[in-house]
Amino acid sequence: RVFITDDEKELLPPYLRFVRGIIDSEDLPLNVSREILQQNRILTAIKTASVKKLLSEFKKLAENAKKEAPSDGKAAADKKAEAGKDDKKAAAKTASDIWNTFVSQYNRPLKEGLYSDFANRDELCEIIRFKSTAPEGTGDNKWTSFADYVQRMKSGQKSIYYITGTDENNLRSSPLLEAYTKKGFEVLIIASDIADIVIPALGKYKDFELKSVNRAGSDDELGVDKAEAEKKEKEFKPIVEKIKEALGDKVKEVKLSKRLSDSPSCIVVDENDPSFQMERMMKAMGQTGVDVKPILEVNGDHPIVQKLKDTDDKERIADISFVLLDQALLVGGEELKDPADFVKRMNNLLSK
């Protein structure tokens, strides 16, 4: 046996950088330079076969864990009781643990493959897991897949919905989820620093479009009556114009929201703009001139917004408008550029 290289970039793609092993081949030429080796067709074939084999093994881990998942609490108790008596069942019990450990450690790098490995994208879609608003994706060691999501979809649902950010708890309490939850739509929770790169690059899972609830235009399936919505927009147009005038260039647009039921406001970004997370990444890489302006959506039924209906007090309108924007930014996980101004305006409103 002759050692040739330990450069994993020649043998596996970067998203499989966590894999360790030895590839033994009798077909590689030994008396060649490194440059020629890089262009060797046999090495390319080895790389292709290795990736497919690894993804196949990862998929088996998921399938084994799914087979062993108890259907209810009683089945779980029975399995635990029998584990000590039956070595096979004891071994079977560990399959879920192995899979959960695998997902918690390697889910993130595997997501990179959705962006970089087009040839194996379909296989990766079946392996990668997500948190979700459904019980199946909520809690420790509970994950769901695209395939599981599709099985639970409402009849006639055309899209897979997801929300991105950096903190799972913040995302779960986001006002953006209110209408989707009430209408029975499941939303994937993707708390990852690369989500805004890899998921839009994927675009679709099978025949289902992937739609971010963080973006404008993702509320088409919420079942809002078009005539009623137009009537309401006309009714609240003066309020929307007051808020837009007060906020000026702080926002790209102010809209009456179709997705809010309890919260007074939320922020989304235009479908053609980078997300706030992407903006931070671009600035960290030294790119200048990146300034994403949010779209502020307001809930016309909320008492705070209703207060703007019968007032022409410019200062009061400005205070309410900026508080609506700043609290939406805070709930969305963004930092305020001027926290002192937010506190001042909040105090003004509380004192009146």
Side-chain angles (χ1 to χ4, degrees):
R1 294 291 183 267
V2 177
F3 174 79
I4 298 177
T5 180
D6 61 356
D7 187 349
E8 74 281 0
K9 292 193 206 74
E10 295 176 11
L11 298 170
L12 291 175
Y15 72 89
L16 292 175
R17 57 188 174 272
F18 57 87
V19 176
R20 297 292 180 269
I22 297 172
I23 295 176
D24 186 4
S25 173
E26 298 179 356
D27 301 317
L28 285 173
L30 303 181
N31 191 24
V32 291
S33 67
R34 181 184 178 88
E35 289 73 20
I36 294 174
L37 183 63
Q38 288 174 336
Q39 300 171 10
N40 190 278
R41 289 183 181 179
I42 297 172
L43 193 65
T44 302
I46 290 173
K47 181 176 180 178
T48 301
S50 297
V51 171
K52 288 193 177 297
K53 177 63 176 174
L54 285 167
L55 296 183
S56 173
E57 292 300 316
F58 298 159
K59 197 171 179 180
K60 283 180 186 176
L61 288 178
E63 290 169 354
N64 290 338
K66 194 167 187 176
K67 284 176 186 174
E68 295 182 4
S71 57
D72 53 37
K74 184 179 182 301
D78 292 344
K79 188 176 280 285
K80 188 173 181 181
E82 292 174 12
K85 302 175 184 178
D86 191 324
D87 289 341
K88 285 188 177 180
K89 289 194 175 182
K93 187 179 176 237
T94 64
S96 294
D97 297 331
I98 292 169
W99 173 242
N100 289 328
T101 301
F102 177 85
V103 172
S104 63
Q105 293 186 5
Y106 306 125
N107 205 38
R108 197 268 188 197
L110 284 172
K111 284 178 186 172
E112 297 172 21
L114 294 175
Y115 180 81
S116 61
D117 190 356
F118 185 82
N120 293 296
R121 187 175 279 182
D122 290 344
E123 287 79 2
L124 284 164
C125 281
E126 303 304 325
I127 297 168
I128 290 167
R129 294 295 187 263
F130 306 93
K131 291 296 185 179
S132 163
T133 54
E136 292 84 352
T138 302
D140 294 338
N141 294 329
K142 284 192 174 183
W143 305 86
T144 194
S145 64
F146 282 134
D148 292 336
Y149 180 105
V150 169
Q151 286 184 344
R152 295 191 295 266
M153 282 173 64
K154 292 180 64 176
S155 177
Q157 184 177 335
K158 299 175 182 177
S159 303
I160 294 174
Y161 294 101
Y162 68 93
I163 185 170
T164 60
T166 55
D167 183 83
E168 182 186 339
N169 291 330
N170 281 349
L171 293 178
R172 288 190 179 280
S173 58
S174 172
L176 293 170
L177 300 179
E178 289 176 2
Y180 296 93
T181 303
K182 283 199 170 184
K183 295 286 184 179
F185 288 103
E186 180 179 354
V187 181
L188 297 177
I189 309 288
I190 312 179
S192 170
D193 57 338
I194 60 170
D196 287 323
I197 300 174
V198 299
I199 304 300
L202 180 60
K204 276 187 171 186
Y205 171 73
K206 295 185 177 177
D207 296 326
F208 302 99
E209 186 178 354
L210 300 174
K211 281 193 175 183
S212 170
V213 303
N214 308 64
R215 293 189 174 275
S218 62
D219 51 7
D220 300 336
E221 284 193 272
L222 291 178
V224 178
D225 182 82
K226 193 173 181 182
E228 183 66 27
E230 288 176 357
K231 181 182 175 183
K232 202 168 184 180
E233 279 180 20
K234 190 175 180 180
E235 179 188 348
F236 283 90
K237 187 177 179 183
I239 293 178
V240 169
E241 288 178 346
K242 286 178 184 179
I243 297 172
K244 174 61 179 170
E245 183 182 352
L247 296 177
D249 62 358
K250 298 290 184 184
V251 294
K252 187 169 188 174
E253 190 181 351
V254 178
K255 296 171 62 178
L256 191 66
S257 183
K258 299 175 187 175
R259 69 184 89 213
L260 293 175
S261 57
D262 301 321
S263 301
S265 60
C266 68
I267 52 165
V268 293
V269 293
D270 189 89
E271 291 179 277
N272 300 313
D273 288 343
S275 66
F276 292 111
Q277 194 167 324
M278 182 71 77
E279 178 192 26
R280 288 192 292 271
M281 290 176 66
M282 292 166 76
K283 286 182 177 179
M285 291 187 290
Q287 295 190 34
T288 57
V290 183
D291 187 19
V292 178
K293 290 185 179 179
I295 296 172
L296 178 67
E297 293 192 0
V298 295
N299 179 1
D301 297 324
H302 198 279
I304 294 177
V305 178
Q306 291 278 348
K307 286 181 180 180
L308 293 169
K309 188 178 279 189
D310 302 318
T311 182
D312 292 316
D313 185 334
K314 297 284 186 183
E315 184 180 350
R316 183 166 175 78
I317 291 170
D319 285 343
I320 292 176
S321 299
F322 274 92
V323 166
L324 286 172
L325 174 61
D326 287 347
Q327 71 173 13
L329 287 166
L330 283 172
V331 172
E334 303 301 316
E335 290 186 8
L336 298 183
K337 292 180 180 178
D338 191 352
D341 181 68
F342 172 68
V343 172
K344 178 185 173 184
R345 292 184 185 278
M346 184 67 79
N347 288 337
N348 286 344
L349 293 174
L350 290 171
S351 63
K352 291 178 182 177

